[in-house]
C-alpha cells in the first residue's frame, strides 16, 4: 500500500509518499518539507494569512516533487491523505482541497487525517510500536498526555490549561530578545547558563491530574529578567537554563501522573512515545530517558524531522486508516478544532 500525505496546518508545507511494509511499519519513499520560518520570523510567530498564501505557492510543486522522488505517478497510489485539522483554517483548506482534487481526478480513496493523530501514530511508522502506548505530544500549538489505544481511539490524560510548551519557549525567547522559534534558541543559550540562579516556579507539581500550566512560569521568568535588567548575555543564559530546568521538572512530574493514570485504565503501556517539535529538546529527552529507565518502560523518540510537522506522518495515518477500511467522503470539512478524545468537548487551551 502506497499513500501520498499532504500537510498544511501550520507553517510547514509538506508532501510525502509512504509505503506499508509487509512486516508492519512504514517505508518513507519521499518526504518533502518547506518551512516558512523565515517568512514569520520577523513577527515572532506564525501569521495565519502569510502562512495560507505561502502554502498555496508551494503545495503543487511539493506534491510533484514528492511523487517524482518516490518514482510514482498519482495513478500508482493506493490513496491520498491530507491533514483536515486542527490548525490554521486558511492553510488547512489549501492542503485539504489539493488532496481532494487529486483523489477526485485520479479516482483514489481519500483520507481526511487529524494532524494530532498523525503525530500520535508516527512511532508506529518508525518503530512499529504496538497499542496501547503512552504519548507526550508537545509542540507550538499542543501539549497533551494521551493514552493511544488504537487508530482513532485516544484517552486524553492531561492537557495544558493555558500555553502549549513550545509556545512558552517561543514567548519566553521573544521576551529575552532571542530569535523565533524560541525552543532551539533557549536550549542553545541554556547550555552556557546556571539553572539554579533563578528560583522559578514548577506549576502544578504534585497535582493528582496530568495537566500542565505554563503561563505562570513564563511570567515568573519575565519578572526575574526585569529584576536583573539590563540583561547581559550571561543573565540571558542563566534565565534560559533556569526556565528550561523548570519545564523539565514539570514534564517529568506530569508524566509520572500520566503513567499512573494510564496504568489504572489500561495496564502497562508498550512504550512512552514523544512527538511534536518540543521533543527535539535534549534536556527534555534526557529527563524522559531517565524517567523511562526508572519506570522500566521503553522510550520511543522518532527522529527530529518526524517529530516536527511533516507529510510522512500524514501519509502513514492515511495508511493506518485505509487498511482498516476507513476512508472519507470528498465532502468532508476542514476543522480548525478537532480533539482526539471525543469525551473532551474542547481542549482548555482552545487549540485542539
Ligand atoms: O511540531 P512543531 O514543528 O510545530 C507545531 O507547533 O505544530 O513544533 C514547533 C515548536 C515551537 O514552539 C518550537 O519552539 C518548539 O517546537 N521547539 C523546541 C525545540 N525545537 C523546537 N522547544 C524546545 N526545545 C527545542 N529544542
Ligand atoms: Zn504538529
Amino acid at each position: 500500500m502506497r499513500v501520498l500525505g499532504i500537510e498544511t496546518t501550520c507553517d510547514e508545507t509538506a508532501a510525502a509518499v509512504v509505503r506499508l511494509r509487509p512486516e508492519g511499519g512504514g517505508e518513507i519513499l519521499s518526504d518533502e518539507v518547506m518551512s516558512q520560518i523565515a517568512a514569520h520570523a520577523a513577527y515572532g510567530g506564525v501569521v495565519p494569512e502569510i502562512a495560507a498564501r505561502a502554502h498555496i505557492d508551494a503545495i503543487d510543486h511539493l506534491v510533484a516533487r514528492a511523487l517524482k522522488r518516490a518514482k510514482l505517478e498519482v495513478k500508482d497510489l493506493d490513496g491520498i491523505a491530507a491533514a483536515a485539522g486542527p490548525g490554521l483554517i486558511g492553510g488547512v483548506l489549501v492542503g485539504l482541497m489539493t488532496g481532494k482534487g487529486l483523489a477526485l481526478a485520479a479516482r483514489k480513496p481519500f483520507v481526511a487525517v487529524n494532524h494530532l493523530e498523525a503525530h500520535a501514530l508516527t512511532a508506529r511508522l518508525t518503530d512499529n510500536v504496538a497499542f496501547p502506548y503512552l504519548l507526550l505530544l508537545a509542540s507550538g500549538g499542543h501539549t497533551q498526555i494521551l493514552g493511544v489505544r488504537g487508530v482513532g481511539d485516544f484517552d486524553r490524560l492531561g492537557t495544558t490549561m493555558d500555553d502549549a510548551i513550545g509556545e512558552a519557549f517561543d514567548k519566553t525567547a521573544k521576551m529575552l530578545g532571542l530569535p523565533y522559534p524560541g525552543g532551539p534558541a533557549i536550549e542553545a543559550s541554556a547550555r552556557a547558563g546556571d539553572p539554579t540562579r533563578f528560583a522559578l516556579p514548577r506549576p502544578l507539581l504534585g497535582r493528582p491530574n496530568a495537566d500542565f500550566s505554563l503561563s505562570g512560569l513564563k511570567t515568573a521568568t519575565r519578572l526575574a529578567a526585569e529584576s536583573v535588567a539590563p540583561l547581559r548575555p550571561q543573565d540571558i543564559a542563566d534565565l534560559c537554563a533556569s526556565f528550561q530546568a523548570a519545564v523539565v521538572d514539570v514534564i517529568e512530574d506530569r508524566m509520572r501522573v500520566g503513567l499512573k493514570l494510564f496504568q489504572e485504565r489500561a495496564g502497562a503501556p508498550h512504550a512512552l512515545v514523544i512527538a511534536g517539535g518540543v521533543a527535539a529538546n535534549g534536556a527534555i529527552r534526557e529527563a524522559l530517558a531517565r524517567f523511562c529507565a526508572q519506570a522500566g518502560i521503553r522510550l520511543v523518540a522518532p527522529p527530529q524531522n518526524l517529530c516536527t510537522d511533516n507529510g510522512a506522518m500524514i501519509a502513514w495515518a492515511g495508511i493506518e486508516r485505509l487498511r482498516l477500511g476507513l476512508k472519507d467522503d470528498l465532502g468532508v470539512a476542514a476543522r480548525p478544532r478537532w480533539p482526539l478524545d471525543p469525551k473532551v468537548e474542547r481542549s482548555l487551551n482552545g487549540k485542539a
Side-chain angles (χ1 to χ4, degrees):
M1 186 186 281
R2 291 173 300 199
V3 170
L4 171 72
I6 297 173
E7 160 61 34
T8 56
T9 62
C10 189
D11 61 346
E12 255 99 33
T13 319
V17 181
V18 176
R19 182 180 77 92
L20 175 64
R21 288 181 196 274
E23 68 274 25
E27 180 188 0
I28 298 174
L29 301 178
S30 64
D31 184 18
E32 298 295 315
V33 183
M34 205 203 72
S35 171
Q36 305 174 2
I37 283 179
H40 302 288
Y43 305 93
V46 178
V47 183
E49 187 61 29
I50 293 176
R53 286 168 191 271
H55 287 306
I56 291 176
D57 287 343
I59 191 66
D60 289 350
H61 178 61
L62 279 182
V63 167
R65 226 165 56 192
L67 288 168
K68 193 166 165 221
R69 293 248 159 101
K71 300 190 175 60
L72 295 173
E73 293 178 39
V74 181
K75 68 174 172 43
D76 305 319
L77 297 169
D78 298 289
I80 292 166
L88 302 171
I89 190 71
V92 174
L93 283 168
V94 174
L96 185 60
M97 292 306 158
T98 303
K100 286 181 181 178
L102 286 169
L104 181 66
R107 296 173 198 274
K108 297 290 178 185
F110 178 72
V111 186
V113 169
N114 180 314
H115 176 92
L116 300 175
E117 173 161 285
H119 275 303
L121 297 177
T122 300
R124 290 168 53 78
L125 157 68
T126 56
D127 294 80
N128 203 7
V129 178
F131 296 124
Y133 53 89
L134 182 63
L135 174 78
L136 171 64
L137 174 57
S139 69
H142 311 283
T143 296
Q144 306 192 357
I145 299 175
L146 292 158
V148 184
R149 297 180 294 218
V151 174
D153 186 7
F154 297 88
D155 186 13
R156 199 176 79 180
L157 305 168
T159 187
T160 180
M161 296 158 71
D162 38 61
D163 292 345
I165 299 178
E167 188 179 5
F169 270 95
D170 293 336
K171 287 179 174 171
T172 302
K174 191 175 181 182
M175 187 251 303
L176 296 174
L178 296 173
Y180 174 83
I186 287 190
E187 186 178 10
S189 175
R191 284 197 195 99
D194 172 6
T196 62
R197 176 162 164 212
F198 298 97
L200 299 174
R202 269 72 174 154
L204 303 188
L205 210 75
R207 293 287 177 89
N209 64 40
D211 286 337
F212 291 80
S213 169
L214 280 309
S215 78
L217 173 59
K218 183 188 64 192
T219 306
T221 309
R222 178 171 58 74
L223 294 174
E226 283 168 11
S227 75
V228 294
L231 298 177
R232 294 167 300 124
Q234 190 58 50
D235 297 324
I236 293 175
D238 293 343
L239 284 160
C240 287
S242 301
F243 169 82
Q244 187 172 275
V247 173
V248 164
D249 284 352
V250 167
I251 290 178
E252 213 177 321
D253 181 71
R254 307 291 69 206
M255 288 314 300
R256 191 168 297 123
V257 177
L259 174 61
K260 188 165 156 277
L261 294 174
F262 184 103
Q263 287 165 334
E264 283 167 13
R265 296 178 195 186
H270 283 107
L272 166 59
V273 171
I274 51 176
V278 177
N281 186 287
I284 294 172
R285 280 187 182 230
E286 275 166 31
L288 290 174
R290 251 191 338 262
F291 169 75
C292 283
Q294 276 165 13
I297 304 173
R298 174 180 172 211
L299 176 66
V300 176
Q304 204 162 318
N305 65 311
L306 295 176
C307 278
T308 53
D309 291 350
N310 64 87
M313 69 177 190
I314 305 297
W316 175 255
I319 288 175
E320 291 259 33
R321 294 197 150 254
L322 283 173
R323 70 174 166 169
L324 295 175
L326 302 169
K327 54 180 186 163
D328 291 285
D329 189 274
L330 290 181
V332 64
R335 296 180 65 174
R337 284 184 179 157
W338 189 356
L340 280 177
D341 182 346
K343 69 180 189 299
V344 178
E345 275 290 297
R346 79 182 178 83
S347 90
L348 291 167
N349 67 345
K351 294 251 167 66

